[in-house]
Structure formats: C-alpha cells, structure tokens
Amino acid sequence: MTNTNEVRVRFAPSPTGMLHIGGARTAIDNWAFARANGGKFILRIEDTDPTRSTEENTQIILRAMRWLGLDWDEGPEVGGEYGPYTQMQRMDTYTAALETLKKRGAVYPCFCTKEELDAKRAAAEQSGEKYTGYDRSCRNLSAEEAQARIDAGEEHVWRLKVPENHGPIEFDDAVYGHMSFPADVMDDMILVRSDGSPTYNFAVVCDDTNMRITHVIRGDDHLSNTPRQILIYEALGFPVPTFAHLSMILGADGKKLSKRHGATSVEEYRDRGYLPDALVNFLALLGWSLDGETTIIPRDVLAREFSLDRITKKDAVFDETKLDWMNGQYIKDMGADAWVQAARPWLIEAGATEEDIDARPEWYAKLYPLVAERLVRMDEIPGKLAYMFWGPKVELDEKSVAKVLQKEGARAEEALRAARQIIADESIPWECDPLQDAVRALTETLDMKAKFLFQPIRVAVCGNMVSPPLFESIELLTREDVLARFDATLAAAF
Ligand code: GLU
C-alpha cells in the first residue's frame, strides 16, 4: 500500500499530438519533484477525446519521455497499483463516481438538446447580456419526472449541481499563492456526456483521487479549471490535492510559444541534435531556478534539489541561443564514449556505417576531441566530419580551391608537393606530432609562412578551409587515403 505521506504526482498528456516543449517542461517538473521528495511519478494518458487521440500519438509521447530520460514509476508499459493508466480503460471508475454523486444528490440529468442550448446562448447574446452559462432549467425537474424521462430513453447529460451560497472557492497554489474564485458564477458543468463518457474535469478529478495524487503540477492554462475541479472534489467528498500551476512559455518575441517560433515538439529538438540532458536542464530552468544563477544543473542535481517554492509565476522565455550554448556545454562534457553512442545517426549521415562503429568504437572515440569544443548541436556532425569518411576521395569546396590554391598558384602547388613527400615518407611515424613537425619544417625550406603551407594541405585533406584540427585528423586517416587526396587535389586545382 501507498504510504500516506508519500508524494505522488502525475503527468497527464492527451495523445492528440506530439509531446510539446510546454508538456515536456510540465513532465520534467513533476518528475523532478517526485524524485526530490522520494515520491512516485505517474504517467497517465488522457485519451477521452476520441476524435483527436490516437495510439500512434501515445507511442510518440512515450518515446519522447524515454528519450528525455523521464522514467515513470507507474503508467503505461510499467503498470502499477492504481492502473490502468489510460483513461479509456477506466470508464468503470467514472461510472462508479457518478453513482456516488447521484446518491449524494450532487448531480442532475439534463435533457436540454444542443439546439435548445444554442438558442439560449444566442438569445442571451442578442439581448446584449453576457452568457453566464447553462440556465439550470433541468435542475428544477422533480426526481420523478427526471427518472421517467431517463426510463423513456431520453438523451441526457449529467451536470454538477453547484451548491447555492457556496462562497468563494479558495485554494493555495504552490506557485500563484492564495487564489479565490466566486462560486456563484460557476456553470453547472457537464460531468458525463450523453454517450456516457466523462468530461475532462470529471475524469481528472476521479483519476487524481483514485491514483492518490498529492500534488497536481500542470500548466497555468488549467488554472481556470481548478475551481471547477475543486467543486467536484467537494461533491465527491474527496480530499483536494495541492496545486502548482506553471507559467506560460513565451518565444523571444514575448508571444506564447507556438509553431511560428519554429520547432515545438521534443522530437524536433532530438532530430536537430540537442542532447536529452541539455534539453531537460534547459526546460527545467523555464520557470524554476536552483539559486537564481546556476545554469548547468545535471539531472541528478535537479532530481535532488527541485522544489516548488523556487518556481516563479513570471512567464518564462524560451531563449534558443541559451539552449544552443547549453547543448554545446553538454557535448563538451559528455566524454567520448557517450558521444559516439549519441552521435550514431549523424555519424552515419556523415558516411559511417553501423557495423564500422560497432567494430572499432575506439577509432570513433578519437573523433570526439576533434569536434568536442566546436559542436553546438549534434546535427552539425555531418558538416564537420564527413571528410573523415571519404576514403581516397576528396570533395573540394570550390571557394576554398579558388582562394587557397588557385589564387596562390605556383606557391600553393609547391607547398602541396613538398607536403606530399613528407606524408609519403614512411620513416615518419603516422602520428599527429611527428607529421606536423616534419611539415612545419617546410616553412624554412620553402621560406613560406605557416598559413600558406597549412591551408593548401587542409583543403587537400578536408576539402575546405575550415575544418577540425588538421594533423589530428590526418593521424586518423590512412597514409594511402591522404596521399590519394593530395593527388586528386593536385590534379583538380592546377
Ligand atoms: N490532459 C491535460 C492536458 O494535456 C492535462 C490535465 C491535467 O494536467 O490536469 O492538457
């Protein structure tokens, strides 16, 4: 059994699309709060909207959660004591809760048709009054009449009987502080639709209660649902959890983050080469801070130190430049082995094969220091490292050829031919330093500035003027391939 003091939180996505950045931030905060308090993190799929929910989206969300490293203690694929964790499989629990409410006289059937309700709304709007919700006409039907109409098979929904003279609905939000909403403007909201399905507010309250959720941490787009949900808790006689509403995430222009700002789903960030650790760190800092200044917060620190009282209600701004910087830091610190694993798809795009990576991971690990300080995103790997996979060929960048080789003409050719001799000299160990020293000595022999000597070599080996460290790269290639590239360049450029 659950220990009664245990913190239990949930992330409850609707599988109507991919996992968005805002949803991911909510998931991270819940996960970190559970971990920091030795509690449980529950994943629940809210699929009661049959027109928009798909199994495919559920799978995409689960995959994104796993990729982010947000392990859940209870939920789909994991199970748990309070499952199932998919709303469509919990219909009996909503039916049972409705029965409780009926017994308590807290709900009533409403037979008003959509046409009637639309007409009432239109009439209210035409008369210039603000439509304040359902006029409660069915609330006054006698129990006998209501039952007779149900028995006759008349279509109906079930509405919550918002108590008269309730007084304000109050709660202490862990982020927003004390909140108070007048109850007398609350609509007698629908809890169960005519097809028997629960509405969002009803299902959430039933689930959060049945799953023993202690803290509801979610986006502040749900803030206006909270007083409604509290009315449902009260009607059912269930304890109300603690709420913490997370502020909105804005784009750099101050507007709510949306497609207009570019990538918004976790998968898109993955495909653009952001590391899950960096993205989790970055998203955790949208609205929360450790101490107001620390920016690099590894996952284990987050899982230890996260607290609701350091969440701000100020809107958070999604600063992609900061994310890029942070991703670069994580790449720099991740180490060669982790890098090879994470870089796999992009190494393959650059020209590697799965088999080769598996066969000689140590060679791939040596690529890491060539780029560790230079990569902002992993998807830059093909652009930066493709030359390592060309074998004997070289893909010459036209601009580099024109500027470094042709403009310098005979001198560049002379440099290349001299360097080729050194590369071909088998008495020089095939290692970065001796090769570099031997080539550098040519600056004296040829009376040439280092730049004029090294740039042509760089173009011949890497295809362009801007590449990772030259002799460190050469060391990782074979002598035959490097010589073949020299020859190809000499033939093509002069
Ligand atoms: N399923 C809701 C959503 O995706 C979340 C509900 C909640 O957290 O209470 O917005």
Side-chain angles (χ1 to χ4, degrees):
M1 263 323 270
T2 305
N3 136 16
T4 46
N5 296 320
E6 184 180 67
V7 162
R8 291 177 58 82
V9 292
R10 85 304 194 272
F11 174 54
S14 303
T16 52
M18 303 195 144
L19 180 57
H20 282 248
I21 285 302
R25 193 265 313 253
T26 302
I28 290 165
D29 286 8
N30 276 285
W31 173 86
F33 184 68
R35 296 291 168 263
N37 289 282
K40 292 275 153 57
F41 174 52
I42 292 134
L43 178 61
R44 179 172 77 221
I45 301 298
E46 304 208 321
D47 58 349
T48 51
D49 179 347
T51 53
R52 295 170 61 224
S53 304
T54 67
E55 175 55 27
E56 191 190 346
N57 287 332
T58 298
Q59 290 309 321
I60 290 174
I61 292 170
L62 298 188
R63 203 159 61 221
M65 292 285 289
R66 292 206 191 284
W67 180 76
L68 286 169
L70 303 177
D71 52 319
W72 54 98
D73 305 300
E74 296 173 26
E77 294 177 0
V78 168
E81 213 175 323
Y82 302 99
Y85 294 91
T86 298
Q87 285 189 327
M88 284 306 269
Q89 294 169 19
R90 302 180 62 83
M91 286 303 158
D92 53 335
T93 66
Y94 312 130
T95 309
L98 178 64
E99 288 311 313
T100 304
L101 291 174
K102 286 186 203 167
K103 282 204 199 89
R104 295 177 139 234
V107 286
Y108 61 91
C110 168
F111 303 92
C112 296
T113 61
K114 183 173 179 309
E115 291 70 33
E116 282 166 349
L117 294 172
D118 287 348
K120 283 178 188 175
R121 179 191 293 266
E125 275 161 10
Q126 241 174 23
S127 71
E129 287 169 39
K130 205 169 160 279
Y131 180 68
T132 52
Y134 178 57
D135 68 1
R136 300 185 172 173
S137 52
C138 287
R139 183 164 166 156
N140 303 317
L141 297 176
S142 70
E144 295 71 33
E145 184 183 348
Q147 194 55 50
R149 290 173 73 171
I150 292 173
D151 292 343
E154 198 171 328
E155 215 167 72
H156 60 284
V157 301
W158 287 90
R159 289 184 184 271
L160 182 74
K161 205 182 271 181
V162 174
E164 308 268 8
N165 311 318
H166 181 285
I169 305 162
E170 309 198 40
F171 62 98
D172 290 309
D173 189 276
V175 176
Y176 282 78
H178 188 73
M179 303 293 287
S180 177
F181 294 82
D184 52 7
V185 300
M186 288 289 165
D187 202 5
D188 277 356
M189 73 197 98
I190 298 174
L191 302 186
V192 175
R193 301 187 192 95
S194 57
D195 64 1
S197 65
T199 55
Y200 156 71
N201 280 315
F202 186 47
V204 160
V205 170
C206 294
D207 292 348
D208 285 343
T209 301
N210 292 330
M211 294 181 181
R212 313 288 194 274
I213 299 302
T214 57
H215 296 72
V216 172
I217 306 170
R218 62 184 171 196
D220 70 0
D221 48 331
H222 286 292
L223 195 50
S224 62
N225 284 319
T226 301
R228 296 191 171 81
Q229 293 178 11
I230 289 176
L231 288 174
I232 302 174
Y233 280 105
E234 289 174 355
L236 282 161
F238 292 157
V240 179
T242 299
F243 291 95
H245 288 93
L246 308 172
S247 66
M248 215 157 25
I249 302 177
L250 308 178
D253 57 358
K255 302 218 171 84
K256 187 174 187 291
L257 194 68
S258 73
K259 271 273 163 237
R260 274 181 305 113
H261 295 97
T264 51
S265 75
V266 168
E267 304 233 319
E268 285 170 284
Y269 282 90
R270 181 200 63 196
D271 294 346
R272 286 170 63 196
Y274 291 97
L275 297 175
D277 284 348
L279 195 57
V280 166
N281 185 157
F282 175 77
L283 293 177
L285 286 175
L286 293 181
W288 173 82
S289 77
L290 179 63
D291 51 16
E293 52 186 39
T294 310
T295 43
I296 297 293
I297 302 170
R299 196 182 285 273
D300 57 329
V301 176
L302 179 66
R304 212 169 44 235
E305 303 293 341
F306 186 86
S307 70
L308 297 181
D309 56 9
R310 292 210 58 93
I311 296 180
T312 165
K313 58 184 176 198
K314 269 210 327 251
D315 288 336
V317 178
F318 191 100
D319 176 355
E320 202 153 307
T321 319
K322 182 171 167 188
L323 172 59
D324 282 348
W325 170 82
M326 202 174 267
N327 205 54
Q329 295 297 308
Y330 272 87
I331 291 176
K332 194 153 73 72
D333 292 338
M334 73 194 297
D337 295 340
W339 180 81
V340 173
Q341 285 316 315
R344 224 167 230 270
W346 293 286
L347 287 170
I348 288 168
E349 199 181 315
T353 62
E354 294 274 6
E355 299 72 42
D356 194 43
I357 299 174
D358 290 335
R360 43 175 200 145
E362 60 302 330
W363 183 83
Y364 284 87
K366 288 183 190 150
L367 297 177
Y368 175 65
L370 299 182
V371 289
E373 304 272 344
R374 292 175 170 75
L375 286 176
V376 168
R377 297 192 316 265
M378 300 290 269
D379 67 349
E380 296 162 347
I381 288 174
K384 292 216 190 314
L385 284 178
Y387 70 92
M388 294 304 293
F389 302 94
W390 288 339
K393 297 204 189 66
V394 53
E395 287 174 23
L396 291 168
D397 164 55
E398 265 177 53
K399 259 219 216 107
S400 302
V401 170
K403 180 155 181 233
V404 176
L405 302 178
Q406 286 164 345
K407 196 162 144 259
E408 301 300 327
R411 287 291 271 166
E413 186 176 353
E414 192 187 358
L416 270 188
R417 291 200 187 282
R420 190 199 182 284
Q421 265 189 355
I422 288 174
I423 297 289
D425 181 349
E426 293 194 7
S427 70
I428 302 171
W430 193 254
E431 280 163 26
C432 170
D433 288 345
L435 288 169
Q436 181 159 353
D437 291 346
V439 172
R440 190 178 294 278
L442 291 176
T443 52
E444 302 225 331
T445 345
L446 302 180
D447 188 23
M448 195 179 269
K449 282 211 185 87
K451 185 178 136 200
F452 291 105
L453 176 65
F454 288 126
Q455 280 295 63
I457 303 174
R458 184 181 291 283
V459 173
V461 177
C462 312
N464 64 48
M465 300 176 277
V466 278
S467 68
L470 180 58
F471 286 90
E472 283 82 348
S473 301
I474 290 179
E475 180 188 274
L476 297 178
L477 297 166
T478 64
R479 193 188 304 272
E480 297 67 42
D481 285 350
V482 175
L483 287 175
R485 291 185 193 186
F486 267 82
D487 294 340
T489 306
L490 283 162
F494 305 105

